[in-house]
Amino acid sequence: MTSALRRASVVLAGGVAAVGLFAPTAAAADTPVVLACQATPPIGSAQTFNLNAGVNAAAPATVAAGSQFTVTLAPDALTVPTTVGGYSIQSISNIVLTVPVPANATLTGESLTGGSGYSGSASVAVNNGNVVLTVNGSVDGGGTFTLPALTLNLAAGASGSVISTSVAGTSYADPGLTFTATVPVSFFTVDVPTACYPATAQALSTTTVS
């Protein structure tokens, strides 16, 4: 291995782990979410870390069977570190957050509101039973960003059922949050794909159907 490649491996081992140091900037969330993450650099071993995030969820406690209602999930603001261990985080990009369509309900619409601190735009789509929020832009190292609030329009299912929302994902191969970290290495930069899923099952909101 050349000296440049050895240096790249060291930088990525330290710099990639920096992504795990996202710091919440808002007050305590209604629901804290701990995500288990894995960053996979093109050189060196994959790095694992936990990302502490949070979501403020607004949903009715109870609804009548067959009735229409909304749930709004508003992620807390996060700050991207600029450096860790003397190495820079240039930016993160391609942020994708996935929320399953809740069981015991029918999704009739979805929309985004707000969001700040990133270049580009955000969009939402439904894919294979999931609602997928995508940010087609980037956040510079040191920048604070807030993902848009996601509103789900739902029709309640049968009486006696429970409708819960959550962040998707069960493993690094089946993530609920993905993004790419860009890390400068010597005279070039490398992109480091990162995948996260909830470390423990966590309901963001719960609605009982009466």
Side-chain angles (χ1 to χ4, degrees):
M1 181 182 288
T2 68
S3 60
L5 289 178
R6 281 193 295 269
R7 173 174 169 77
S9 181
V10 171
V11 170
L12 291 170
V16 169
V19 182
L21 300 181
F22 279 133
T25 60
D30 288 344
T31 306
V33 180
V34 179
L35 299 171
C37 301
Q38 183 181 68
T40 307
I43 303 171
S45 302
Q47 304 294 311
T48 60
F49 57 89
N50 284 344
L51 168 58
N52 296 318
V55 176
N56 289 289
T62 61
V63 294
S67 64
Q68 303 285 325
F69 69 104
T70 63
V71 176
T72 299
L73 307 176
D76 282 348
L78 294 170
T79 297
V80 180
T82 54
T83 61
V84 169
Y87 300 112
S88 298
I89 300 297
Q90 181 172 303
S91 65
I92 65 167
S93 59
N94 304 320
I95 305 168
V96 179
L97 176 66
T98 303
V99 173
V101 174
N104 305 314
T106 301
L107 181 69
T108 60
E110 65 286 333
S111 60
L112 300 178
T113 55
S116 63
Y118 49 84
S119 65
S121 61
S123 61
V124 62
V126 179
N127 185 20
N128 294 327
N130 292 308
V131 181
V132 182
L133 188 167
T134 302
V135 172
N136 298 308
S138 63
V139 183
D140 292 337
T144 296
F145 69 100
T146 304
L147 293 176
L150 171 63
T151 296
L152 306 177
N153 300 320
L154 301 168
S159 177
S161 61
V162 175
I163 301 168
S164 299
T165 59
S166 63
V167 175
T170 58
S171 67
Y172 301 133
D174 175 34
L177 173 69
T178 59
F179 57 89
T180 300
T182 300
V183 180
V185 180
S186 297
F187 301 107
F188 56 96
T189 59
V190 293
D191 290 333
V192 183
T194 303
C196 308
Y197 68 95
T200 58
Q202 177 69 64
L204 302 177
S205 69
T206 301
T207 298
T208 301
V209 184
S210 61

